[in-house]
Amino acid sequence: MKQCTHADELPHPEPEPLSDTCLECQAAGTHPIQVRLCLTCGHVGCCDSSPGRHATEHYKDSGHPIMRTFEPGEAWRWCFVDHVLV
Ligand SMILES: [Zn+2]
Ligand SMILES: [Zn+2]
Ligand SMILES: [Zn+2]
């Protein structure tokens, strides 16, 4: 099983969210199903079940490896590079 090293390199404390919803969706007029927070820069983007998939787009554009859920009551993180929960 692959070991994720990206979590060790994340900033502490985690970055302030840049917004409270997916701004790309807001601009495009689409609606996020759920949103994710980038733990490198605080970008908020929508999940892969949303039409825009902007969290994944953000990873492709920025290379920022790890996001966490931005949904109330949930607490998990996902590494885009290793495809594992961290
Ligand atoms: Zn990783
Ligand atoms: Zn979006
Ligand atoms: Zn980012």
Side-chain angles (χ1 to χ4, degrees):
M1 188 170 161
K2 203 167 175 187
Q3 200 67 27
C4 174
T5 57
H6 302 96
D8 299 335
E9 295 160 13
L10 292 175
H12 295 282
E14 73 179 31
E16 283 291 312
L18 300 178
S19 57
D20 58 8
T21 186
C22 178
L23 294 181
E24 282 102 327
C25 275
Q26 215 166 48
T30 51
H31 294 282
I33 307 289
Q34 293 193 337
V35 283
R36 311 293 185 225
L37 173 69
C38 172
L39 291 181
T40 302
C41 73
H43 172 273
V44 175
C46 56
C47 69
D48 281 356
S49 302
S50 307
R53 300 184 172 191
H54 292 121
T56 297
E57 282 298 301
H58 176 69
Y59 160 63
K60 287 181 188 164
D61 290 347
S62 67
H64 297 162
I66 296 180
M67 57 79 160
R68 72 162 171 82
T69 177
F70 198 46
E71 297 297 316
E74 291 187 1
W76 49 266
R77 302 185 298 178
W78 175 256
C79 179
F80 285 110
V81 180
D82 298 314
H83 298 105
V84 290
L85 291 168
V86 291

